[in-house]
């Protein structure tokens, strides 16, 4: 049985997880030693830790209209303390068309769909203004110095539990109101119930996020 292909779709692109064979082709086709080294490290991670290959392998960006390959992006390993790092590159003749911004937005949202990812980071060279603009368009903010270059970070949005449980409360309230022949009383009880649970969950989520931010601050200072 053929293994299902990993793919993230955007308005104009298909972003697919590359196979080991495709990574080997990238290594052979790359003219820069730095790129070849990076791709070899990705391939090594895929083979060493196949359960987490989505966090090691490059994802190729292709246009929906004609399947043209325009570049790739990747994460630099699975989450460490809720953080993953992203990197990306696009062919020179495809620059300035918004493709990289579109891809980074899609892949950061895909990453946030994983429960153990709360922050996505990227490091860019100080003179790379185009890459900085891409990150800023995607909502990344400057976050000091990384291991090699200035670091930017995007934080996963907090879930609005209050809104979710208010709607839940309205549903319960409507059912109760129908049973007791008083929609007004039912809605009041349902809303109070929903808001109480939502407020408690919102408070818990904010405390947990504050704790994670403090832990990140401690790690940066070490």
């Amino acid at each position: 049985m053929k293994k299902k292909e990993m793919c993230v779709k955007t308005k104009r692109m298909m972003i697919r997880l590359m196979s080991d064979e495709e990574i080997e082709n990238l290594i052979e086709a790359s003219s820069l030693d730095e790129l070849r080294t990076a791709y070899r490290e990705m391939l090594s991670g895929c083979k060493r830790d196949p359960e987490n290959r989505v966090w090691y392998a490059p994802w190729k960006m292709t246009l929906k209209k004609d399947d043209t390959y325009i570049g790739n992006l990747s994460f630099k390993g699975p989450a460490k303390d809720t953080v993953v790092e992203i990197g990306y590159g696009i062919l020179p003749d495809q620059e300035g068309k918004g493709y990289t911004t579109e891809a980074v937005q899609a892949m950061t949202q895909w990453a946030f769909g994983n429960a153990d990812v709360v922050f996505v980071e990227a490091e860019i060279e100080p003179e790379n203004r185009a890459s900085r603009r891409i990150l800023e368009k995607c909502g990344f903010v400057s976050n000091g110095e990384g291991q090699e270059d200035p670091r930017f970070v995007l934080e996963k949005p907090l879930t609005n539990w209050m809104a979710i449980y208010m709607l839940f409360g309205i549903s319960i309230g409507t059912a109760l109101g129908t049973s007791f022949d008083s929609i007004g009383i039912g809605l009041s009880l349902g809303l109070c119930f929903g808001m109480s649970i939502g407020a408690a969950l919102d408070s818990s989520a904010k405390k947990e996020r504050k704790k994670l931010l403090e832990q990140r601050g401690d790690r940066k200072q070490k």
Side-chain angles (χ1 to χ4, degrees), residues 38-108:
Y39 290 137
R40 287 192 184 103
E41 289 175 353
M42 294 176 194
L43 182 58
S44 175
C46 292
K47 293 180 176 180
R48 182 180 66 252
D49 188 8
E51 292 295 317
N52 285 307
R53 86 178 306 277
V54 293
W55 301 110
Y56 292 105
W59 294 70
K60 63 179 178 181
M61 300 151 53
T62 60
L63 299 180
K64 281 183 176 179
K65 61 181 181 180
D66 56 13
D67 205 34
T68 299
Y69 170 82
I70 61 172
N72 63 70
L73 48 74
S74 65
F75 297 96
K76 299 182 179 181
K80 280 187 179 180
D81 300 321
T82 72
V83 179
V84 293
E85 185 178 347
I86 193 170
Y88 46 83
I90 192 166
L91 299 180
D93 62 343
Q94 299 294 339
E95 292 177 350
K97 300 177 183 179
Y99 291 131
T100 309
T101 300
E102 188 175 323
V104 171
Q105 287 173 335
M107 292 307 296
T108 51

Side-chain angles (χ1 to χ4, degrees), residues 113-202:
N114 293 267
D116 54 347
V117 177
V118 179
F119 306 98
V120 178
E121 293 184 343
E123 291 186 17
I124 59 171
E125 297 174 351
E127 64 274 13
N128 194 341
R129 295 180 181 178
S131 189
R132 177 169 184 152
R133 285 195 298 271
I134 288 167
L135 293 177
E136 289 173 345
K137 286 178 183 177
C138 294
F140 284 72
V141 296
S142 179
N143 193 239
E145 290 294 319
Q147 292 183 348
E148 298 176 356
D149 296 300
R151 176 176 50 218
F152 291 77
V153 64
L154 180 67
E155 182 180 340
K156 182 178 183 177
L158 282 166
T159 301
N160 190 339
W161 293 109
M162 177 70 81
I164 292 172
Y165 274 89
M166 278 182 66
L167 293 174
F168 180 61
I170 289 173
S171 298
I172 291 178
T174 302
L176 286 173
T178 302
S179 300
F180 294 111
D181 200 25
S182 177
I183 293 295
I185 293 176
L187 284 175
S188 296
L189 291 172
L191 279 172
C192 287
F193 173 73
M195 289 176 68
S196 296
I197 295 177
L201 289 172
D202 276 346

